[in-house]
């Protein structure tokens, strides 16, 4: 059964361009409820740990540099069928392949600076939410 929780980050490029409000508006209008949210600047160590699953891939080092280059917004979201519906809302990882009207199509710079992260499974949504938030920080 599909879970109700997903995790997203508004990435440094989108934050710096002041797209945070527009992105959160799209998220709310798509029916997601914000369960926890914070703005934080990751250290390189924290960004590396969050993306540890990609360690060794050609883009890992630059991804860590980028994700620690400025503030991000970390958000836990709730909705029925959260993982799939959020991935539909944000569009493909590569913004050139993202559908019209998706968050990445509208606000991404390129494959790496692709505006937002979205969890790829129920299991990872909880792991990623726990990375940023204690349960007392959820509403
Ligand atoms: P995200 O959804 O945050 O998950 C992993 C991130 O790695 C992805 O979005 C992109 O920002 C980045 N990424 C994945 N593949 C590539 C790639 N081929 N080149 C550059 N960055 C990538």
């Amino acid at each position: 059964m599909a879970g109700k929780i997903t995790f997203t980050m508004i990435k440094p490029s989108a934050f710096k361009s002041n797209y945070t409000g527009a992105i959160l508006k799209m998220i709310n209008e798509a029916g997601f409820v914000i369960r926890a949210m914070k703005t934080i600047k990751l250290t390189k160590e924290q960004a590396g740990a969050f993306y540890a699953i990609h360690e060794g891939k050609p883009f890992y080092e630059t991804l860590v540099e980028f994700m620690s280059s400025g503030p991000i917004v970390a958000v836990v979201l709730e909705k029925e069928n959260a993982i799939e519906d959020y991935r539909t809302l944000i569009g493909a990882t590569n913004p050139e392949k993202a559908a019209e009207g998706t968050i990445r199509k509208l606000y991404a710079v390129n494959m790496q600076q692709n505006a937002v992260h979205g969890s790829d499974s129920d299991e990872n949504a909880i792991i990623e939410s726990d990375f940023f938030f204690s349960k007392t920080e959820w509403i």
Side-chain angles (χ1 to χ4, degrees), residues 9 11 50-51 54 58-59 62-63 66-67 87 90 93 104 110-114 116-119:
M9 283 188 286
K11 298 190 177 187
F50 183 86
Y51 281 114
H54 296 297
F59 59 84
T62 54
L63 179 64
F66 166 59
M67 290 302 297
R87 290 172 77 81
I90 66 179
T93 304
R104 283 171 169 160
N110 55 37
M111 178 93 132
Q112 187 153 278
Q113 299 182 28
N114 58 356
V116 291
H117 167 79
S119 305

Side-chain angles (χ1 to χ4, degrees), residues 24 54 83 108:
L24 290 174
H54 296 297
I83 298 290

Side-chain angles (χ1 to χ4, degrees), residues 2-74:
K4 292 184 177 181
I5 296 296
T6 191
F7 172 81
T8 189
M9 283 188 286
I10 298 174
K11 298 190 177 187
S13 51
F15 183 91
K16 196 175 172 189
S17 297
N18 276 336
Y19 294 146
T20 298
I23 291 170
L24 290 174
K25 185 167 187 276
M26 286 180 72
I27 288 170
N28 278 150
E29 286 180 351
F32 291 89
V33 173
I34 294 170
R35 295 285 308 275
M37 181 162 65
K38 68 172 74 164
T39 304
I40 182 173
K41 188 173 184 296
L42 296 171
T43 64
K44 277 187 195 174
E45 290 70 27
Q46 289 169 328
F50 183 86
Y51 281 114
I53 195 168
H54 296 297
E55 199 168 354
K57 292 182 184 167
F59 59 84
Y60 177 72
E61 297 297 334
T62 54
L63 179 64
V64 169
E65 282 290 333
F66 166 59
M67 290 302 297
S68 58
S69 69
I72 60 104
V73 184

